[in-house]
Amino acid sequence: MSIKEVTDFLVKLALAEDVGRGDITTLTVIAKGQKAKAVITAKEDGVIAGLAIATEVFRHVDHRVRFAPKVKDGAFVKKGKVVAVVSGSARAILTGERTALNFLQHLSGIATTTSQFVKKLNSKKVKMLDTRKTTPGLRVLEKYAVRCGGGVNHRMGLYDAILIKDNHEKLAGGIGRAIARVKGQGSSSKKIEVEAGTLAQVKQAIAMKADRILLDNMTLKTLRRAVKLCKKAGIKTEASGGVNLANVRAIDRTGVDYISVGALTHSAPALDINLKIV
């Protein structure tokens, strides 16, 4: 599904979940024709992502509401920066407020976390990757937020890349057999990435001519040795497992080509953003 298709579906679902049969507080307190203007403001420093879906939330509530972004997705903003101005039906603004902010805060949190990791890197050659550890249903948007933060998407799903992981290896009878089975199909044009947790497994993957080796949960010493072996064989490397802001720079120095971090999407704290009527 495209971002547009996902956005439309998710906005309808989120509004149905939150509004249900109607915003009874707003319908009771606010006059039908009352107009209002509100500002959406960043309450802390961070990278913005999700303006388009926030716009769609208000459009779905009332197509006449005007949502005017003051920054672009991917922009770094300081605390106190006005991110957007919303004007039109007071009822529509209040009804759409929480749903719009939920999307905007969550996606901006991912973009901000990704940016923090990217800024830690020593080399511009190393690419910071996300994983499939995403919120069910939100993957397209969350991976978009990673790109807003300067990261790079790994595979979108099981359908677009071959990654032989430890459980595949166990069931196939080892790395060598797993890779052989893929190569034996003969029809796949996809590059083969294989997970390796030991130097012995790295050597097996090299011998079977894997295209990329995911070096999983290795110590820095082992990681450096693995990278050296892979470079000698002309194979790309990806470090994964236990990566955090405190150690990502040291991992970068080992010479890996990619670093993948599940925390970009599964643990990113929401960016504090609010909406106030002015």
Side-chain angles (χ1 to χ4, degrees), residues 68-251:
K70 298 302 177 183
V71 297
K72 294 181 179 179
D73 277 354
F76 175 80
V77 299
K78 301 288 286 182
K79 177 181 178 180
K81 174 68 176 178
V82 173
V83 173
V85 176
V86 189
S87 56
S89 164
R91 283 185 171 185
I93 292 173
L94 294 180
T95 298
E97 173 187 357
R98 177 42 50 200
T99 298
L101 288 179
N102 282 347
F103 282 121
L104 194 57
Q105 289 179 299
H106 178 58
L107 296 178
S108 295
I110 291 173
T112 299
T113 297
T114 302
S115 176
Q116 291 169 347
F117 272 92
V118 171
K119 287 178 180 177
K120 286 281 187 179
L121 299 177
N122 304 290
S123 171
K124 292 183 179 179
K125 294 180 180 179
V126 179
K127 291 181 172 60
M128 181 62 59
L129 303 179
D130 54 24
T131 70
R132 287 169 44 245
K133 295 177 182 178
T134 55
T135 308
L138 297 182
R139 180 170 297 173
V140 170
L141 294 179
E142 291 182 343
K143 282 180 172 280
Y144 164 75
V146 167
R147 298 197 300 274
C148 287
V152 176
N153 297 149
H154 201 299
R155 53 182 180 166
M156 289 300 292
L158 296 172
Y159 53 85
D160 64 355
I162 293 172
L163 174 50
I164 301 171
K165 295 179 72 71
D166 57 346
N167 284 329
H168 296 107
E169 295 160 12
K170 286 179 184 177
L171 292 170
I175 285 178
R177 288 186 179 181
I179 296 175
R181 286 184 182 181
V182 175
K183 289 180 177 291
Q185 296 296 318
S187 58
S188 176
S189 61
K190 304 290 186 183
K191 291 186 180 298
I192 301 171
E193 180 173 8
V194 60
E195 180 179 285
T198 67
L199 289 177
Q201 290 178 323
V202 170
K203 291 174 182 177
Q204 289 178 53
I206 291 173
M208 292 299 295
K209 295 180 169 51
D211 297 294
R212 186 195 297 184
I213 301 178
L214 189 157
L215 307 170
D216 188 50
N217 279 298
M218 290 184 172
T219 64
L220 289 174
K221 181 179 179 180
T222 303
L223 191 58
R224 281 190 288 269
R225 291 176 65 187
V227 169
K228 188 175 181 180
L229 288 172
C230 292
K231 283 187 181 298
K232 197 171 184 179
I235 296 173
K236 296 289 187 181
T237 54
E238 174 186 337
S240 183
V243 183
N244 55 54
L245 287 171
N247 65 16
V248 68
R249 184 166 289 173
I251 292 172

